[in-house]
Amino acid sequence: MRDSSLSALFGALSNEMRMSSIANNLANVNTTAFKKDSMAFHDVFTRFAHDNVVTTKTFLRDKDLFPSPDIMAKPRLSEQNIDFTQGPMQKTGNQLDLALSGEGLFKIQAPEGMLYTRAGNFLVDAAGTLVNQQGYPVMVSGGALNVPPGAQVTVDDGGNVSINGVASGTFDLVQFDNQGGLERVGSNMYRAPEGAAEQPPDDLVVSQGFLEKGNVEVVTEMVSMIETQRTFAMYAKMLQSTDQLDRNMITKLSRITG
């Protein structure tokens, strides 16, 4: 019964991780520009040595049954990626709120190094520097942008910034070949993996006075949560049934040998 216990254990653990991912997605449904996590599962087939031996068999059916009874399958988490699907736009009218349409990210200078985000709900700190919600400077033309008190800030579709009608730089917008491979930092910031090269974005549009909302669909996530709960319960029942079979077998064997 060990193989059935292991299969059920791996299935339960995989669905526990899936449930954690769903819960995190739902918790950030109102987080600006949040990108949900997506997970995929697959079966790992464990073959025996005699599976590779070609033999001639006669079957009552015209086709072999699948899966073969001499193949064991155990569920595994195959991948977990960040889904950068575009989120809906929300109009705010705030001159420091910026939304990105297309593939691309803002650059943020954090204490631990360069980070990236699609959340454009910026503000001006006490020193007059344009920062994100965590207080980190937003990169404009390679450095921080100073905004005088009461200044009129204008940003065009290409990310070019004008303060009181004077050109003041361009937002440092970048993209990566594999955005799904970025490492999540907090709710809506990301760190590029080592060796990843920044590239200028293609067809990226900056919209002033708008914010990108999260791409989490509540109904879809709730359906996935119910499915995951039921699948986990099924694997838990399988563990209980296997344990009961083992106990019955041990009890009967002890009576025979006794």
Side-chain angles (χ1 to χ4, degrees), residues 86-92 98-102 118 204-214:
Q86 181 77 40
M89 296 291 188
Q90 178 183 13
K91 186 174 182 179
T92 65
L98 304 172
L100 299 179
S101 299
R118 286 182 64 89
L204 182 65
V205 177
V206 181
S207 299
Q208 186 177 22
F210 289 83
L211 287 177
E212 181 186 5
K213 300 178 66 177

Side-chain angles (χ1 to χ4, degrees), residues 155-166:
V155 183
D156 65 14
D157 293 349
N160 300 303
V161 184
S162 297
I163 298 178
N164 294 328
V166 179

Side-chain angles (χ1 to χ4, degrees), residues 162-229:
S162 297
I163 298 178
N164 294 328
V166 179
S168 303
T170 304
F171 279 99
D172 293 346
L173 302 171
V174 299
Q175 70 176 9
F176 297 90
D177 286 336
N178 180 24
Q179 284 198 161
L182 295 175
E183 176 187 354
R184 190 187 297 276
V185 179
S187 298
N188 53 17
M189 289 193 294
Y190 310 92
R191 180 183 294 110
E194 186 176 355
E198 298 178 355
Q199 299 178 0
D202 299 324
D203 301 324
L204 182 65
V205 177
V206 181
S207 299
Q208 186 177 22
F210 289 83
L211 287 177
E212 181 186 5
K213 300 178 66 177
N215 63 352
V216 179
E217 297 180 1
V218 177
V219 175
T220 301
E221 295 298 321
M222 291 299 294
V223 171
S224 297
M225 177 177 286
I226 296 172
E227 176 190 354
T228 304
Q229 287 176 330

Side-chain angles (χ1 to χ4, degrees), residues 11 31 57 68 74 86-87 101 119 125 127 139 151 191 199 208 211 216 226 232 237 250-252 257:
T31 300
K57 299 179 181 179
S68 175
K74 295 180 176 63
Q86 181 77 40
S101 299
D125 64 10
M139 293 293 96
R191 180 183 294 110
Q199 299 178 0
Q208 186 177 22
L211 287 177
V216 179
I226 296 172
F232 183 89
K237 184 64 176 178
I250 294 172
T251 301
K252 292 180 179 179
T257 56

Side-chain angles (χ1 to χ4, degrees), residues 12-25:
L13 291 175
S14 297
N15 279 276
E16 181 183 8
M17 295 183 65
R18 184 185 182 192
M19 181 62 75
S20 298
S21 175
I22 294 172
N24 184 62
N25 290 341

Side-chain angles (χ1 to χ4, degrees), residues 103-149:
E103 292 189 6
L105 300 143
F106 294 104
K107 293 180 66 173
I108 306 294
Q109 182 61 64
E112 63 269 28
M114 197 64 67
L115 298 178
Y116 305 87
T117 186
R118 286 182 64 89
N121 50 340
F122 302 138
L123 48 88
V124 178
D125 64 10
T129 303
L130 185 68
V131 298
N132 69 347
Q133 292 294 312
Q134 288 72 30
Y136 303 150
V138 183
M139 293 293 96
V140 178
S141 296
L145 177 67
N146 184 267
V147 181

